[in-house]
Amino acid sequence: MRKVRVNQIGYKTAAEKYAVFADLDEDDRTFTVVEAETDKTVFEGTITKAKPYKVSGEYNSAGFFTEVTCPGKYKIVTAKGEESYVFEIGDKIYDKTLINVFRVLYLQRCGIKLPEAYAKEFAHEACHNSPARIYGTDEKLDVNGGWHDAGDYGRYIVSGAKAVMDLFIAYEANPALFNDAMNIPESGNGVPDILDEARYELEWMFKMQDSKTGGVYHKVTGERFPGFVMPQHETWEMVVSPVSNTATADFAAIMALSSTVYKDIDTGFANKCLGAAKKAFDYVVKHQDAPGFKNPDGIVTGEYPDDNCFDEIMWAAVELYKVTEDESYADVILSAYEKVTKWTILGWDDVGGYAAYSALTSDLLKKNHLDFWTRLKSDFINQVDDMVDEAKANPYFISRTDTFEWGSNMSIADNGMILWMANKISPNQDYVIYMKYNLDYIFGINAVDYCFVTGEGSNSPVHPHHRPSAALGKPMPGMLVGGPDNGLHDETAARLLADKAPAACYIDHLDSYSTNEICVYWNSPLIALLAMC
Ligand code: G3I
Ligand code: 9MR
Ligand code: ZN
């Protein structure tokens, strides 16, 4: 592992540029930026005083070289000869990465054949397309479509809603980046590919709504996880798990917003989204006290449990209020708000960040409920400022204090999104600067010296916990792995990482699903962050 950590893909010309150093000799105090091909020095800089950091288990210091703006390939070399990987400076350096990271969603599509023309070596026959059985009954339901969630082939509503929302926010942040030529079958149809891809998931979500009650089934999976086979070879019965309040509320939120996003693209589709959203919302307000989802007997696939559905309900009420301008939704927003505490989280379980962002960008809410709007704004901004303070105190400039959880890379990408949102709501240069540091962390400035996206940078995962990659013996490009998890939630992590500091609890091992799996909703905030940086 190198002692000099850089963004292995590189830095845009106008961006803040820095390296983080680990365990340098005490007298190694300066560094140079040299041209990779000629070894010519273009910049000399000093290294901050090293401090012990128990979360990384290292003595960390940093060096800035923002002044280097000339496009090219470089490396960092310290006075005593420690070298970084080669990285690039330029304004187009993330273009290929973005396409790859985005196209993973296409490659995760379920229910259709992925032809070689689009999927290359990850092409496969249609999968999971016979009707599924509704748990506890003999009733069959057509729930074909949607994205495989992750390294497994389950399809889950709460995680899908997060992924779609991130795509909408990515598109909002930088529409020019997402054209109609991103190499998916819908390319060239006149609709930005990112909205085509999101719609693939939405079309599946419709099928997951119970037409009688409006409630939304939590997930469709086998009874257990399959082996490392291609998706068309998981042929056992698919089971639709029961309706949950969190799935139903997330569905209502994303469908309500979709009715606006697709309004000028396809009015019929937009109306269908709104109708489905209202029906789901009515169901969930009636069932808001129901216990959160638990795997029913005999089903052991991903659970996505969540006992508090008020953040989801608030998010749904905000989106419905924005489209319908109906004050009855505002009543629900105000009452749900009292039961939510976290406003800087964009998870599959806590969606308070989406609720806050959508509410704080509503002129109508501001006009009609100014006191509430002002209170929410200060809750949100106070929590964002705490995040920035944490990042300022952290040697890797990320908002972390002591632990790393399953999917920590998602939280780090999410934090970048939150800072973008905060800057829109209450402009502040610190938010913009610290937003980008999250991207630098993901691309290499971290305690394990990995660029956490398969196929990108100089040192990236090659054994992701991802069934198609394992079945074919090659990592699908563009996937963000989960990253450090000091909970050591799988046997391999427990065996190989027991003595590691929290930030170093990562292993590029096929069996380490708690550190090295991939998910559509881990790629999605990275797509958004790339659109923002
Ligand atoms: O909520 C607590 C928090 O209070 C605490 O501070 C933190 C410290 O570790 O833990 C938090 O709980 C964690 C929870 O996620 C919420 O972030 C649990 O420890 C952690 O085990 C749990 O991990 C989830 C994992 O499933 C197991 O349930 C991941 O977020 C989630 O991404 C992952 O999802 C799986 C699906 O089930 C199946 N498909 C693959 C997917 C990715 O591995
Ligand atoms: O492959 C599964 C992965 O997608 C899940 O995120 C993970 C946690 O639910 O479980 C994985 O499956 C493992 C199972 O939990 C335990 N036996 C080994 C399975 C595959 O390695
Ligand atoms: Zn499938």
Side-chain angles (χ1 to χ4, degrees), residues 24 86 153-154 174 253 398 452 470 497:
L24 288 183
V86 172
Y153 296 132
N174 196 344
I398 55 164
F452 285 120
L497 301 172

Side-chain angles (χ1 to χ4, degrees), residues 32-318:
T32 52
V33 179
V34 304
E35 283 181 0
E37 268 156 39
T38 62
D39 270 342
K40 183 181 146 210
T41 297
V42 299
F43 183 83
E44 291 175 29
T46 54
I47 297 174
T48 59
K49 190 172 153 36
K51 287 195 209 125
Y53 179 47
K54 71 173 187 334
V55 182
S56 67
E58 304 161 329
Y59 276 75
N60 291 123
S61 49
F64 280 79
F65 53 98
T66 304
E67 293 88 333
V68 184
T69 55
C70 185
K73 289 191 175 167
Y74 302 92
K75 62 186 175 182
I76 306 286
V77 185
T78 71
K80 294 185 75 176
E82 299 291 346
E83 287 195 9
S84 75
Y85 288 115
V86 172
F87 59 88
E88 218 173 324
I89 292 179
D91 285 330
K92 300 218 165 290
I93 54 174
Y94 304 138
D95 290 6
K96 168 181 123 336
T97 312
L98 176 75
I99 299 267
N100 287 339
V101 174
F102 169 73
R103 274 179 35 83
V104 167
L105 299 179
Y106 167 71
L107 295 172
Q108 292 285 107
R109 285 191 193 182
C110 181
I112 49 159
K113 177 187 165 97
L114 302 189
E116 266 172 39
Y118 295 103
K120 299 197 188 103
E121 64 261 58
F122 293 94
H124 64 75
E125 293 305 314
C127 53
H128 304 112
N129 53 1
S130 32
R133 182 172 57 83
I134 299 179
Y135 181 84
T137 74
D138 291 327
E139 214 183 306
K140 298 280 184 178
L141 195 64
D142 165 22
V143 286
N144 292 348
W147 299 310
H148 298 138
D149 187 54
D152 66 322
Y153 296 132
R155 286 161 288 147
Y156 307 78
I157 291 287
V158 295
S159 55
K162 171 186 167 46
V164 173
M165 184 61 175
D166 292 342
L167 297 188
F168 288 165
I169 294 172
Y171 182 61
E172 180 195 339
N174 196 344
L177 199 61
F178 298 101
N179 59 25
D180 192 19
M182 296 181 84
N183 194 19
I184 61 172
E186 293 81 0
S187 297
N189 70 352
V191 177
D193 286 344
I194 194 166
L195 299 184
D196 285 322
E197 196 55 59
R199 183 167 172 170
Y200 192 78
E201 181 76 353
L202 293 164
E203 295 282 8
W204 164 73
M205 286 185 162
F206 284 135
K207 301 181 182 178
M208 293 290 282
Q209 184 173 39
D210 177 13
S211 56
K212 291 186 282 295
T213 65
V216 178
Y217 297 110
H218 196 71
K219 62 172 174 177
V220 53
T221 66
E223 289 183 345
R224 56 187 188 280
F225 292 115
F228 290 112
V229 296
M230 287 299 280
Q232 71 275 25
H233 297 136
E234 187 192 37
T235 51
W236 55 38
E237 185 183 49
M238 289 290 113
V239 183
V240 175
S241 279
V243 165
S244 73
N245 49 17
T246 49
T248 307
D250 275 349
F251 173 100
I254 203 68
M255 286 296 175
L257 176 57
S258 296
S259 74
T260 306
V261 172
Y262 295 93
K263 198 166 86 193
D264 299 329
I265 293 173
D266 182 341
T267 323
F269 178 74
N271 290 340
K272 184 175 170 191
C273 291
L274 185 57
K278 288 178 175 169
K279 214 169 157 186
F281 188 82
D282 291 347
Y283 176 93
V284 75
V285 288
K286 286 198 202 100
H287 294 83
Q288 54 185 270
D289 297 321
F293 181 82
K294 288 271 171 294
N295 264 336
D297 277 354
I299 305 277
V300 299
T301 49
E303 190 165 52
Y304 293 115
D306 181 359
D307 283 330
N308 181 342
C309 65
F310 293 101
D311 47 333
E312 286 84 1
I313 288 183
M314 179 174 161
W315 179 28
V318 170

